[in-house]
Amino acid sequence: MNSRILKQSIGFTIIIIFLSVMISPVFGQPLTGVQGSRIQANFMSQDPDPADAGNDLDLRWQIYNSLSTTTENLRFHLDAEYPFLFEAGDSPDKDLGPSVGTNDRQVFYVLHYRLRVADNAIKGTYNVTLNWDTGNGWTKKEFPIYVDPKKADFVVGALVTSPEKLIADTKEAKLSVDISNIGKGNAENVKVKLFLPEGFNSSYSYSDEDSLGIIPKDGSKTATFYADVDENINEGNYMAKLNITYKDENDESATYRTKILELSIPIKPAPHLIVESVTTTPINLTAGSTSEFHIIVKNTGNKKAESVSMRVFKDASQPFEFSEKSDFVGKLEAGESGDAVLGFTVDSKAAAKKYLIDVELRGIDESNNVVIFRRTVPLTVTPGAKGSPLSSPGMLGGLVVVIGAVAAVYYFKKGKKFQK
């Protein structure tokens, strides 16, 4: 009987000790309370990711309170050791004040901490511990934060264009862009793609892409692209985008990263010369004829053009011989037109069809830069009299002989009639 009472006494003592441990705080050791377990802290993001040595780091949590009662003061404390420092103006302690529980998971708090990453931080994963208290004990949970101090980063440097001054209707403009690595690590297998704004087109396939290989930290390389500028584009700055893909050095996962940067492409005000109309004198060109080529040149730009001239480029296979290859037009204000005239001869064996002649319109803008525009104009040779008997000198001579013979026979017959 005494043994049974002793066992019951020992069991009761164990229960009392267990309950005492459950409800009594231990000095220096945060407890996990029953209510605290119903506060959920979900990690939302770290910015930047990965964290960068020597720079600030933003950490955010989503706090959801599912308690059935109101918490008078919901408190948080963040334990963050090396390489994280509270030197970015933030405090490890956050008091959210009274918090009402809810079953709606769309209702939550956003908990935000701003830390500084030590300058000498090394690459790796580090844990921070978030603690929270509802007034009935502390709950804690660890969260991993990734640090990579060798991450590359890029900025756009100088843009150099050829021609130096980009204007409307420029073909195969060369765009040379400096890409600088301002990060703390080398960037490998760097590739750049240029996304052009409206009013521009790539000159040919892959002229909007360039491969730069390795760009070391504090180094730079030049990406080169070729683009055509539309004829009707207005002056101003046009924003293109550079899509940079690369891999950080020593990245064991070989993950390719993307950086998107903006590039401003300036289009300057300038004269813009076009062929407004083309006529010939005579209107119908025939094989062997001598004619004049009349071209009306118009300045559709927003600046005047000095010393405007036109030059013709004839292909050797085309049946035209120009007495002069160029003509001077003079000064053209914005919106003004002028004439250019060239004399030429059509080859006597020219086929009747339309021929496309290349001409060059040249002028000087207000900054003494030469502006050049290549245009194509039509010249049409018509069949004319080439198929008639009179179109050949031999045929014409034969016809004269026949007419003369008929006249002679007629004369002699008439003469004999009169003699009778």
Side-chain angles (χ1 to χ4, degrees):
M1 184 68 180
N2 291 336
S3 175
R4 183 177 179 182
I5 294 173
L6 179 62
K7 289 181 179 179
Q8 289 178 346
S9 178
I10 292 173
F12 182 77
T13 302
I14 292 174
I15 292 173
I16 294 298
I17 293 173
F18 177 77
L19 291 174
S20 298
V21 171
M22 289 296 295
I23 64 176
S24 301
V26 179
F27 181 77
Q29 176 68 35
L31 295 177
T32 301
V34 176
Q35 287 187 335
S37 65
R38 293 167 66 183
I39 299 291
Q40 296 181 14
N42 302 314
F43 188 66
M44 295 177 66
S45 65
Q46 71 170 79
D47 184 23
D49 185 11
D52 197 6
N55 292 324
D56 290 348
L57 171 66
D58 283 331
L59 303 178
R60 294 179 186 271
W61 282 267
Q62 182 189 75
I63 307 301
Y64 172 66
N65 182 359
S66 64
L67 293 171
S68 59
T69 59
T70 299
T71 300
E72 293 299 325
N73 187 17
L74 181 57
R75 298 184 298 159
F76 290 87
H77 177 86
L78 182 67
D79 289 324
E81 299 178 350
Y82 174 86
F84 306 116
L85 309 168
F86 285 96
E87 294 181 358
D90 212 343
S91 168
D93 296 303
K94 304 276 187 181
D95 292 339
L96 296 187
S99 175
V100 179
T102 178
N103 291 324
D104 185 0
R105 290 189 172 272
Q106 300 300 316
V107 178
F108 57 86
Y109 302 91
V110 175
L111 182 65
H112 171 229
Y113 280 95
R114 187 173 182 85
L115 305 176
R116 176 70 55 82
V117 185
D119 290 333
N120 58 350
I122 61 176
K123 181 178 180 179
T125 300
Y126 302 84
N127 289 331
V128 296
T129 303
L130 184 65
N131 306 270
W132 60 90
D133 176 38
T134 63
N136 293 292
W138 289 88
T139 299
K140 65 179 180 179
K141 186 176 180 180
E142 289 187 341
F143 298 90
I145 305 299
Y146 181 55
V147 176
D148 185 2
K150 291 187 176 181
K151 186 180 70 171
D153 197 11
F154 301 98
V155 295
V156 173
L159 168 65
V160 178
T161 65
S162 179
E164 182 177 352
K165 181 179 179 181
L166 291 183
I167 61 175
D169 200 29
T170 302
K171 304 301 181 186
E172 294 187 23
K174 182 179 180 181
L175 309 177
S176 301
V177 188
D178 284 343
I179 307 295
S180 300
N181 181 2
I182 61 172
K184 292 179 170 57
N186 298 339
E188 300 176 346
N189 200 18
V190 180
K191 296 180 180 179
V192 186
K193 183 174 178 61
L194 175 65
F195 290 93
L196 291 164
E198 186 176 355
F200 298 80
N201 292 289
S202 55
S203 297
Y204 45 85
S205 297
Y206 305 109
S207 67
D208 55 355
E209 300 179 12
D210 201 2
S211 297
L212 303 183
I214 297 175
I215 302 182
K217 62 178 181 178
D218 300 323
S220 66
K221 284 190 175 180
T222 301
T224 301
F225 313 99
Y226 292 88
D228 296 338
V229 185
D230 287 356
E231 181 175 347
N232 299 318
I233 196 170
N234 296 321
E235 63 175 292
N237 291 319
Y238 292 80
M239 300 306 298
K241 291 187 181 298
L242 295 170
N243 187 295
I244 305 173
T245 58
Y246 65 99
K247 182 172 72 72
D248 285 318
E249 67 169 338
N250 302 322
D251 185 351
E252 297 178 357
S253 64
T255 301
Y256 278 87
R257 305 183 186 277
T258 300
K259 179 85 172 186
I260 297 177
L261 300 174
E262 289 189 334
L263 175 67
S264 178
I265 304 177
I267 299 297
K268 301 296 184 181
H272 185 239
L273 304 177
I274 66 167
V275 173
E276 188 174 24
S277 65
V278 179
T279 57
T280 59
T281 303
I283 295 176
N284 294 323
L285 302 180
T286 58
S289 65
T290 299
S291 306
E292 283 187 340
F293 191 25
H294 297 261
I295 291 183
I296 305 239
V297 180
K298 184 174 183 178
N299 179 10
T300 60
N302 47 19
K303 294 292 181 180
K304 70 177 178 180
E306 301 276 1
S307 303
V308 177
S309 63
M310 185 204 72
R311 181 178 178 81
V312 66
F313 294 92
K314 184 188 74 70
D315 189 277
S317 63
Q318 294 174 334
F320 306 109
E321 187 63 37
F322 288 88
S323 56
E324 296 289 342
K325 296 292 181 68
S326 63
D327 192 22
F328 185 76
V329 178
K331 181 178 73 173
L332 292 179
E333 297 285 350
E336 192 176 9
S337 300
D339 294 346
V341 180
L342 297 176
F344 67 99
T345 301
V346 184
D347 190 275
S348 60
K349 298 180 181 179
K353 66 174 187 177
K354 181 194 290 185
Y355 298 88
L356 299 178
I357 308 296
D358 290 330
V359 298
E360 177 186 270
L361 306 179
R362 179 186 293 257
I364 300 175
D365 66 12
E366 293 180 340
S367 301
N368 290 323
N369 296 312
V370 176
V371 291
I372 299 174
F373 303 89
R374 296 295 294 266
R375 308 297 185 197
T376 301
V377 297
L379 278 181
T380 301
V381 176
T382 59
K386 186 174 180 180
S388 68
L390 297 180
S391 62
S392 169
M395 294 294 292
L396 182 61
L399 181 60
V400 171
V401 171
V402 171
I403 294 174
V406 171
V409 171
Y410 179 79
Y411 172 77
F412 284 115
K413 285 185 176 181
K414 286 289 185 180
K416 288 181 180 181
K417 184 177 180 180
F418 290 132
Q419 288 177 2
K420 291 179 182 180

